[in-house]
């Protein structure tokens, strides 16, 4: 229910009396006070002098005609000197406005992010919904508003979700508050996810909350997915669909736990190990951009990392050189979703010493094995030119590079094929030689993750398959008849050891 505010007009004038302060009859603490005011037009004589009338009682005593209007304004009355500097539009003033209350001066803010209208004869402030959650749920001791809104680690970004913003037809700054279970905090990112959460209370309060700032962010849950094809002629080397039509198509999930994408070989001492085969990669990593707010040591929570190349693009690599991007303290996660936007915003970019092995794959792909129990095998989402991409993360070993001259380190492997590469159909197309009835090859790795020299990027040396039976460890592999040294560098993270 709005309170009345009285605006004086001289007879026949279309604009209020110049320099006349508007008049209210209630302030905070008075019965009937409201930050929302229904404008009442007061007709005064043509010779009226500004500020002769300073109270509602004087309007009544003078018998001036008062006409309720359909216009609502949001003007919270506050102490002199109060500040609220933000406004939604550039045309709005954030200065305090003076008014009259029973012959005394009052001060109030004006928020005009949206024109608000009501029924002049039966005025009601319109409502819009909001879903909120608190650090402690309201049904628990100390819960609800006293515990504060739950926020991300930056301490500012809640997952409170508005139904409308000022450009929407149904917008109102008077919000009907609905409360959802804080256990659902991480899943709530927009209106659909908010309304799908476990709702603890509907219509808990109506609160005056004018929107004063928005920034467009990208929602990873609804954004378009980038098209990923690791097996095109542009992206593949060992694995190309033109050579093997049985390989999954573009955007089709890949099961890397099936051949030819996983191999069982030997460690340097002859222990069985398994590793994934992610195709040929160069020693030149691609950049991946990780965003940090000014003065913070952890990446922006909820922000997806950004890449500028995917399989098939010139310069793509499963190995990524981490670049730290410093964004302002008020940055909201996923405002930026591409390298071009990083550059356009002029954010500071600093190459780090960190290298990561994150093959970009179609959504739904699986690679379930990891060398360490604390490694996640879930797909991770990132941004590529405003679209969502998915990638695995392999952290069996911390990899470091020179920030100014990055190169992926290399470790060696000796392999042999069913047909030696000098013969028709030989080399990779013929597949690795394995023991009878087993997936056990006699491919031998130079290093394991616990070795300081380990790298998942392997320099492939090929030995004669006639020596298969004798090769069981690093010593016998290096003693075999070598057909080719440094045939390729291939991304093969070790994920299992017997």
């Amino acid at each position: 229910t709005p309170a009345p505010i009285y605006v004086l007009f001289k007879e026949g004038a279309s604009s209020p009396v110049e320099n006349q302060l508007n008049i209210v009859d209630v302030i905070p603490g008075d019965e009937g006070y409201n930050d929302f005011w229904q404008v009442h037009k007061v007709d005064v004589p043509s010779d009226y002098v500004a500020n002769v009338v300073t109270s509602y009682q004087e309007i009544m005593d003078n018998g001036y005609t008062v006409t309720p209007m359909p216009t609502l304004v949001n003007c919270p009355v506050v102490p002199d000197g109060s500040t609220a500097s933000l406004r939604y539009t550039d045309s709005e003033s954030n200065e305090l406005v003076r008014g009259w209350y029973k012959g005394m001066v009052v001060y109030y803010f004006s928020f005009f992010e949206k024109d608000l209208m009501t029924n002049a004869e039966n005025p009601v402030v319109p409502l819009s919904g909001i879903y909120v959650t608190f650090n402690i749920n309201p049904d628990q001791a100390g819960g609800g508003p006293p515990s504060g809104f739950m926020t991300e680690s930056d301490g500012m970004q809640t997952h409170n979700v508005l139904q409308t913003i000022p450009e929407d037809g149904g917008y109102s700054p008077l919000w009907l508050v609905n409360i959802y279970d804080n256990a659902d905090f991480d899943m709530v990112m927009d209106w659909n996810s908010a309304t799908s959460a476990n709702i603890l209370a509907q219509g808990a309060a109506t609160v005056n909350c004018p929107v004063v700032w928005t920034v467009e962010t990208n929602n990873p849950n609804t954004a378009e997915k980038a098209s990923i094809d690791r097996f095109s002629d542009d992206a593949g080397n060992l694995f190309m669909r033109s050579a093997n039509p049985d390989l999954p198509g573009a955007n089709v999930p890949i099961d890397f736990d099936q051949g030819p994408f996983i191999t069982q070989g030997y460690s340097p001492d002859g222990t069985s190990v398994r590793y994934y085969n992610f195709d040929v990669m160069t020693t030149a990593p691609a950049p991946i951009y990780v965003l940090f707010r000014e003065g913070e040591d952890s990446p922006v929570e909820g922000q997806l990392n950004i890449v500028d190349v995917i399989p098939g693009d010139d310069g793509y690599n499963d190995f990524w050189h981490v670049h730290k991007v410093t964004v302002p303290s008020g940055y909201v996660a996923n405002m930026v979703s591409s390298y071009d936007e990083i550059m356009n915003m002029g954010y500071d970019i600093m190459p780090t010493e960190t290298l990561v092995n994150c093959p970009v794959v179609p959504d739904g792909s699986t690679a379930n094995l990891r060398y360490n129990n604390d490694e996640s095998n879930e797909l991770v989402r990132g941004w590529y030119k405003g679209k969502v991409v998915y990638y695995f993360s392999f952290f069996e070993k911390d990899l470091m590079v020179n920030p100014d001259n990055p190169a992926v380190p290399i470790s060696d492997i000796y392999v042999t094929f069913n047909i030696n590469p000098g013969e028709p159909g030989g080399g990779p197309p013929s597949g690795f030689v394995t023991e009878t009835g087993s997936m056990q090859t006699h491919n031998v790795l130079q290093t394991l993750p616990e070795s300081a020299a380990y790298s998942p990027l392997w320099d492939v040396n090929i030995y004669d398959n006639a020596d298969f039976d004798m090769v069981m460890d690093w010593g016998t592999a290096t003693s075999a008849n070598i057909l080719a040294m440094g045939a390729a560098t291939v991304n093969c993270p070790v994920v299992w050891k017997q």
Side-chain angles (χ1 to χ4, degrees), residues 277-335:
N277 305 308
F278 283 108
D279 217 316
V280 171
M281 297 293 151
T282 71
T283 59
I288 188 168
Y289 302 95
V290 183
L291 276 58
F292 292 74
R293 293 190 183 97
E294 291 175 337
E296 296 187 3
D297 296 327
S298 299
V300 175
E301 185 171 352
Q303 170 73 46
L304 307 191
N305 296 335
I306 296 171
V307 301
D308 198 43
V309 286
I310 57 175
D313 290 345
D314 187 29
Y316 172 79
N317 202 312
D318 288 347
F319 294 93
W320 303 88
H321 180 199
V322 174
H323 286 58
K324 179 181 178 180
V325 179
T326 302
V327 297
S329 58
Y331 176 88
V332 177
N334 299 310
M335 284 169 52

Side-chain angles (χ1 to χ4, degrees), residues 195-225:
T195 56
S196 299
N198 179 28
I199 308 303
L200 303 180
Q202 293 272 4
T206 53
V207 185
N208 180 17
C209 297
V211 173
V212 292
W213 179 84
T214 61
V215 61
E216 186 173 353
T217 61
N218 303 283
N219 186 342
N221 298 323
T222 57
E224 180 182 355
K225 297 176 185 177

Side-chain angles (χ1 to χ4, degrees), residues 387-456:
K387 300 178 182 179
V388 172
V389 292
Y390 295 81
Y391 55 84
F392 295 122
S393 289
F394 292 94
F395 287 101
E396 72 276 11
K397 178 78 173 183
D398 290 336
L399 300 175
M400 309 298 285
V401 293
N402 180 333
D404 299 319
N405 188 26
V408 183
I410 292 176
S411 186
D412 277 40
I413 187 173
Y414 283 82
V415 306
T416 194
F417 298 102
N418 284 304
I419 302 174
N420 282 333
E423 303 172 18
S430 67
F432 295 126
V433 180
T434 62
E435 296 177 2
T436 303
S438 167
M439 67 178 292
Q440 181 69 58
T441 71
H442 289 190
N443 298 349
V444 182
L445 291 58
Q446 184 181 18
T447 59
L448 289 177
E450 48 265 35
S451 167
Y454 171 82
S455 172

